[in-house]
Amino acid sequence: MKSYDIAVIPGDGVGGEVAVEGEKVLKAGAQKYGFKVGTETFGWGCDYYLKHGRMMPDDMLKTLEDFDAIFLGCVGDADKVPDHISLTLLLTIRKGFDQYVNLRPIKLYPGVSSPVISATPETVDMAVVRENTEGEYAANGGIFKMGTPDGFALQTAIFTQKGCERVMRYAFELAGRRMEARGAEHARVTNCTKSNALNYSMVFWDRVFDQVSRDYPEIKTDMAMVDALTMWFVKNPNTFDVIVASNLFGDIITDLGAMLQGGMGFAAGANLNPDKMFPSMFEPIHGSAPKYAGKGIVNSVAAIESIRMMLEHLGEVEAARDIESAIVAVLKSGRVRTRDMGGDNSTSEMGDAICKSILAD
Ligand code: IPM
Ligand code: MN
């Protein structure tokens, strides 16, 4: 019997509540499909910081490296720890385990409504492939002469041939896999860029995109400046399939993407090391929403979706597909709706309904 060891980091705010629901679904999948999961929970985050003066132990990566995957709730609580400090937890794992793809599917499920009127289940089905280890997040720079009139800051983005190429290749490969399911007419990779203004980094990025695209002649390409792309996301979401974006641009457009898919409560992400040299990390992309913590009212679908992505990555494809069917069935029926969906069901009622649907047949 296959067996997976999963590290769970609930994190802050609502992280614990949504992580519990994700774990429930993971166990339901294991029960039905005959694999084993062992989980170990790590209490790192802002409360840990208040006690120990750091977000996580120095040997965190060593502790995590032998797990098959990591499941993260969410991190950050600005009342306790400044965000640029608390978020080192997340960024250290992304970079330390070379999780160079941040895959964020954007799909509007039937039964969910989006605040964007062009968004329907027929028009919203795309995936953002965000570069996740370099670019604008390279953490390279400094603050100088702070507090004086000569004060200045430098934050230099780093774009490498290897870093751009590998994430773009992933995007084309993904478009190829999606083509099998959705038909050739939809297969397209859109290059999210800003090479009209960023005359070194993004010109370089575009050139690498052109090089990589030549290896995938069967997949159409186009490009959009990131500002225009936000407009097209709203106006014509149906024209997108796979979008490849730099770290910062990918961050920004996926919050807009979350609205296309009905809100932050539906948006999941996978921080992937596709070469499987290190564990990958799966997380809902919403924040920790400390004001809702402990109330059991937030939507657990995003966390459950990230478990679905974890199982897909681990090769438990049937279980992953089943979780998606269960999510679709529950949302479509409209019987269980959390507060963000205009209902009054709890975080755990959503998780329970999805588990029940998985185990029903
Ligand atoms: C995300 C988040 C993080 C990011 C923050 C919390 C550092 O916004 O995962 O999208 O910018 O990557
Ligand atoms: Mn973000």
Side-chain angles (χ1 to χ4, degrees):
M1 186 186 269
K2 277 207 172 151
S3 164
Y4 304 101
D5 290 325
I6 310 299
V8 180
I9 309 172
D12 304 307
V14 298
E17 294 156 51
V18 297
V20 166
E21 302 312 309
E23 279 187 65
K24 262 190 212 167
V25 169
L26 183 59
K27 294 199 169 129
Q31 186 183 329
K32 182 160 171 191
Y33 288 91
F35 55 89
K36 265 175 66 184
V37 273
T39 56
E40 189 172 340
T41 301
F42 297 95
W44 305 324
C46 290
D47 289 328
Y48 184 96
Y49 183 96
L50 295 181
K51 266 194 227 125
H52 301 91
R54 53 206 155 100
M55 289 296 291
M56 64 279 184
D58 293 337
D59 59 356
M60 170 180 74
L61 294 178
K62 190 105 215 71
T63 306
L64 294 176
E65 77 186 356
D66 291 328
F67 283 90
D68 294 301
I70 303 161
F71 179 41
L72 177 82
C74 35
V75 191
D77 187 342
D79 286 342
K80 295 177 181 164
V81 184
D83 282 339
H84 70 279
I85 293 176
S86 61
L87 294 162
T88 54
L89 173 52
L90 182 64
L91 300 179
T92 302
I93 297 175
R94 286 180 183 170
K95 286 183 192 171
F97 286 152
D98 209 20
Q99 294 165 344
Y100 61 85
V101 168
N102 192 329
L103 176 61
R104 298 184 164 185
I106 299 170
K107 194 166 179 180
L108 177 59
Y109 287 126
V112 179
S113 59
S114 162
V116 181
I117 54 172
S118 60
T120 66
E122 290 72 39
T123 60
V124 177
D125 183 1
M126 57 177 108
V128 172
V129 174
R130 168 185 175 187
E131 200 295 316
N132 211 31
T133 51
E134 57 173 44
E136 307 87 345
Y137 281 50
N140 177 48
I143 296 174
F144 303 91
K145 301 186 186 177
M146 187 75 225
T148 78
D150 295 329
F152 66 97
L154 290 177
Q155 184 106 35
T156 307
I158 296 179
F159 288 80
T160 65
Q161 174 76 31
K162 176 180 153 193
C164 298
E165 201 177 317
R166 62 188 186 174
V167 76
M168 289 169 181
R169 258 183 217 291
Y170 184 90
F172 278 95
E173 303 280 338
L174 175 66
R177 290 196 294 278
R178 286 168 60 88
M179 178 161 73
E180 282 162 27
R182 302 168 73 238
E185 69 279 17
H186 300 293
R188 173 190 303 266
V189 178
T190 301
N191 170 16
C192 172
T193 184
K194 189 62 194 174
S195 47
N196 55 354
L198 301 177
N199 57 337
Y200 301 118
S201 59
M202 282 290 153
V203 169
F204 179 86
W205 168 273
D206 287 0
R207 284 185 191 158
V208 179
F209 184 84
D210 286 341
Q211 284 163 14
V212 172
S213 70
R214 275 184 233 129
D215 292 338
Y216 302 89
E218 69 287 8
I219 294 175
K220 292 189 280 298
T221 61
D222 62 7
M223 62 137 81
M225 298 298 148
V226 61
D227 48 346
L229 185 139
T230 61
M231 175 184 77
W232 296 120
F233 255 33
V234 171
K235 196 160 186 283
N236 292 326
N238 59 313
T239 58
F240 291 96
D241 178 22
V242 174
I243 300 107
V244 66
S246 66
N247 212 331
L248 180 62
F249 294 167
D251 176 44
I252 296 168
I253 64 173
T254 50
D255 268 24
L256 175 54
M259 290 303 123
L260 290 175
Q261 62 189 131
M264 295 308 287
F266 295 94
N271 301 273
L272 300 174
N273 175 258
D275 320 322
K276 303 200 175 170
M277 302 285 284
F278 300 101
S280 294
M281 174 168 65
F282 301 81
E283 49 165 347
I285 73 169
H286 57 67
S288 57
K291 67 178 174 194
Y292 299 135
K295 301 200 167 111
I297 54 173
V298 300
N299 196 338
S300 44
V301 169
I304 292 167
E305 266 284 315
S306 60
I307 290 293
R308 176 188 69 73
M309 297 179 81
M310 177 190 287
L311 289 174
E312 200 174 283
H313 177 76
L314 293 172
E316 295 295 342
V317 184
E318 271 182 74
R321 229 178 271 135
D322 202 348
I323 293 175
E324 175 160 21
S325 309
I327 294 173
V328 169
V330 168
L331 295 175
K332 201 169 171 185
S333 79
R335 277 198 299 275
V336 182
R337 290 179 305 134
T338 43
R339 221 166 74 162
D340 57 318
M341 300 175 71
D344 57 10
N345 289 109
S346 67
T347 309
S348 64
E349 281 167 342
M350 181 61 90
D352 289 343
I354 292 170
C355 284
K356 199 167 152 207
S357 171
I358 293 169
L359 296 171
D361 44 48

Coordinates of all heavy atoms in Angstrom, one line a residue, residues 175 178-188 220 241:
A175 N 0.0 23.4 -21.0 CA -1.0 23.6 -22.0 C -1.2 22.4 -22.9 O -2.3 22.1 -23.3 CB -0.5 24.8 -22.9
R178 N -3.5 20.1 -20.9 CA -4.8 20.6 -21.0 C -5.5 20.5 -22.3 O -6.7 20.3 -22.4 CB -4.8 22.1 -20.6 CG -4.6 22.4 -19.1 CD -4.3 23.8 -18.8 NE -5.4 24.7 -19.1 CZ -6.4 25.1 -18.4 NH1 -6.5 24.6 -17.1 NH2 -7.3 25.9 -18.8
M179 N -4.6 20.5 -23.4 CA -5.1 20.4 -24.7 C -5.8 19.0 -24.9 O -6.8 18.9 -25.6 CB -4.0 20.5 -25.7 CG -4.3 20.4 -27.2 SD -3.1 21.1 -28.2 CE -1.7 19.9 -28.0
E180 N -5.2 18.0 -24.3 CA -5.8 16.7 -24.4 C -7.2 16.6 -23.8 O -8.1 16.0 -24.4 CB -4.9 15.6 -23.7 CG -3.7 15.3 -24.5 CD -2.6 14.6 -23.7 OE1 -2.9 14.0 -22.7 OE2 -1.4 14.8 -24.1
A181 N -7.4 17.4 -22.8 CA -8.7 17.3 -22.1 C -9.7 18.3 -22.8 O -10.9 18.0 -22.8 CB -8.6 17.7 -20.6
R182 N -9.2 19.4 -23.3 CA -10.1 20.5 -23.7 C -10.2 20.7 -25.2 O -11.0 21.5 -25.6 CB -9.8 21.8 -23.0 CG -9.8 21.7 -21.4 CD -9.1 22.9 -20.8 NE -9.9 24.1 -20.9 CZ -9.5 25.3 -21.5 NH1 -8.4 25.3 -22.1 NH2 -10.3 26.3 -21.5
G183 N -9.3 20.1 -25.9 CA -9.3 20.3 -27.4 C -8.3 21.3 -27.8 O -8.0 22.3 -27.1
A184 N -7.8 21.1 -29.0 CA -6.6 21.9 -29.5 C -7.0 23.4 -29.7 O -6.1 24.2 -29.6 CB -6.2 21.3 -30.8
E185 N -8.2 23.6 -30.0 CA -8.6 25.0 -30.3 C -8.4 26.0 -29.1 O -8.2 27.2 -29.3 CB -10.0 25.2 -30.9 CG -11.2 24.9 -29.9 CD -11.5 23.4 -29.8 OE1 -10.6 22.5 -30.1 OE2 -12.6 23.1 -29.3
H186 N -8.3 25.4 -27.9 CA -8.2 26.2 -26.7 C -6.7 26.3 -26.2 O -6.4 27.1 -25.3 CB -9.0 25.6 -25.5 CG -10.4 25.6 -25.8 ND1 -11.2 26.7 -25.9 CD2 -11.2 24.5 -25.9 CE1 -12.5 26.3 -26.2 NE2 -12.5 25.0 -26.2
A187 N -5.8 25.5 -26.8 CA -4.5 25.4 -26.3 C -3.7 26.7 -26.6 O -3.4 27.0 -27.8 CB -3.8 24.2 -26.9
R188 N -3.3 27.4 -25.6 CA -2.6 28.7 -25.8 C -1.8 29.0 -24.5 O -2.2 28.8 -23.4 CB -3.6 29.7 -26.0 CG -3.1 31.2 -26.1 CD -4.3 32.1 -26.1 NE -5.2 31.8 -27.2 CZ -5.2 32.4 -28.4 NH1 -4.3 33.4 -28.6 NH2 -6.1 32.1 -29.3
K220 N -0.5 27.5 -29.5 CA -0.5 28.9 -29.9 C 0.0 29.8 -28.8 O 0.0 29.4 -27.6 CB -2.0 29.4 -30.2 CG -2.6 28.8 -31.4 CD -3.9 29.4 -31.7 CE -5.1 28.9 -30.9 NZ -5.4 27.5 -31.0
D241 N -6.0 30.5 -21.6 CA -5.8 29.1 -21.3 C -4.7 29.0 -20.2 O -5.0 29.0 -19.0 CB -5.5 28.3 -22.5 CG -5.2 26.8 -22.3 OD1 -5.7 26.3 -21.2 OD2 -4.5 26.2 -23.1

